[in-house]
Amino acid sequence: MPIIPHKVFYWTCPLPLLLFGVFWWYVNQFEGWGQWAAAPMLIMPIAFSFLVSSWGVVLIVQERLREQPVTNLVLGTLLGGSVVLLAIVRWLQMEVTQSF
């Protein structure tokens, strides 16, 4: 029975990146204030990426407790959390550039 959450996780881990790409393309169709107004749409794939990466961490901990290999889960978690990591890196980049 524990194999089903893993399969669902493997199928959902690329979705945040794909959703972010689609929403990013849609937001870039606008110019000026329209782009600014449509930008909050990007919060949804970022939040979904956070949820997928959190789910991956839970699955990794469960597998480590059972002493099973977790390489695929780690890669899936990094893929699913890549949008959150990108958002954090961009935020840190803006903070650093504004501090100088």
Side-chain angles (χ1 to χ4, degrees):
M1 202 54 117
I3 203 75
I4 292 175
H6 291 83
K7 286 186 179 183
V8 173
F9 175 73
Y10 291 138
W11 281 101
T12 58
C13 66
L15 287 179
L17 195 57
L18 293 173
L19 284 174
F20 185 75
V22 169
F23 283 113
W24 186 264
W25 172 80
Y26 180 73
V27 168
N28 282 329
Q29 298 298 310
F30 299 104
E31 293 181 11
W33 286 103
Q35 192 174 31
W36 180 81
M41 291 177 62
L42 296 174
I43 293 173
M44 190 169 36
I46 293 171
F48 185 57
S49 175
F50 176 75
L51 291 175
V52 170
S53 62
S54 299
W55 185 20
V57 169
V58 168
L59 289 175
I60 288 170
V61 169
Q62 287 177 350
E63 290 301 306
R64 289 300 295 161
L65 290 176
R66 284 193 247 156
E67 298 179 359
Q68 299 292 324
V70 294
T71 307
N72 290 338
L73 287 172
V74 170
L75 293 175
T77 303
L78 288 175
L79 179 65
S82 62
V83 178
V84 168
L85 294 174
L86 173 70
I88 291 171
V89 167
R90 293 288 305 224
W91 174 72
L92 287 174
Q93 178 189 14
M94 287 190 301
E95 289 294 323
V96 168
T97 57
Q98 289 178 359
S99 66
F100 293 109

